[in-house]
Amino acid sequence: MTLDKRTRDAMLELCGQLHDDDGVDPREFFKSGRGPRKTDHKAQQLCRQVAETVDQVLSGEMGDDRLIGLRVASVQPAPDASRMLVTVVADWAPDDFCRAEVEGGLHASAGRLRAAVAAAITRRKAPTLAFVVLGPHPQEARHD
């Protein structure tokens, strides 16, 4: 904190030397020094609900053959709870995996998945879903 000359002179009369924290409200000084931000428990709860719902829908309620064998690995807010990043993993043999087909199937059924999430949660607006597809073995997966 930069002090003007009069304030600095008045403070020097009261002490031997000035430090960075002199003249600062201790409540404000120590507020910024706290540890990492608290996790948003509501966002984490929503992520768990979205993961359970999408995993259940992908396990057998979708009519798309491209999506059979997918399971949800994680769901994270991206950047907040209005948009969720869903990471799915394919449980197939590496020779049968085609990332473009799986991403196309997820893109085509994103509306149905979002509707299922909206029915499962109690919020005014359902979050939009973004997907990341991980192959069975990324080194051996075929990218067509």
Side-chain angles (χ1 to χ4, degrees):
M1 176 178 173
T2 305
L3 301 174
D4 64 355
K5 183 164 177 49
R6 283 184 292 166
T7 306
R8 183 175 176 80
D9 291 341
M11 290 178 80
L12 278 173
E13 290 176 7
L14 300 173
C15 65
Q17 53 177 263
L18 294 177
H19 299 291
D20 292 337
D21 62 345
D22 287 339
V24 178
D25 185 4
R27 293 173 293 193
E28 295 299 319
F29 181 76
F30 290 109
K31 184 182 283 185
S32 62
R34 278 192 275 176
R37 291 179 64 182
K38 292 189 334 184
T39 58
D40 187 6
H41 296 291
K42 290 293 184 182
Q44 294 301 322
Q45 180 183 20
L46 180 62
C47 288
R48 285 190 301 272
Q49 290 173 335
V50 169
E52 290 172 4
T53 303
V54 171
D55 198 33
Q56 180 183 10
V57 171
L58 288 176
S59 68
E61 296 179 15
M62 297 298 294
D64 195 347
D65 291 338
R66 298 176 288 187
L67 304 180
I68 295 174
L70 291 179
R71 62 181 170 80
V72 176
S74 69
V75 177
Q76 299 172 346
D80 56 11
S82 67
R83 180 179 166 97
M84 295 288 168
L85 179 65
V86 181
T87 305
V88 294
V89 177
D91 286 335
W92 302 325
D95 296 335
D96 298 334
F97 177 70
C98 178
R99 186 178 314 276
E101 287 180 15
V102 174
E103 288 175 348
L106 285 171
H107 182 69
S109 61
R112 286 183 285 179
L113 290 169
R114 186 174 182 215
V117 168
I121 63 173
T122 53
R123 293 192 119 201
R124 187 181 326 178
K125 293 183 180 180
T128 56
L129 302 176
F131 294 96
V132 173
V133 179
L134 301 179
H137 299 287
Q139 307 89 335
E140 303 172 17
R142 182 182 71 186
H143 300 286
D144 291 336

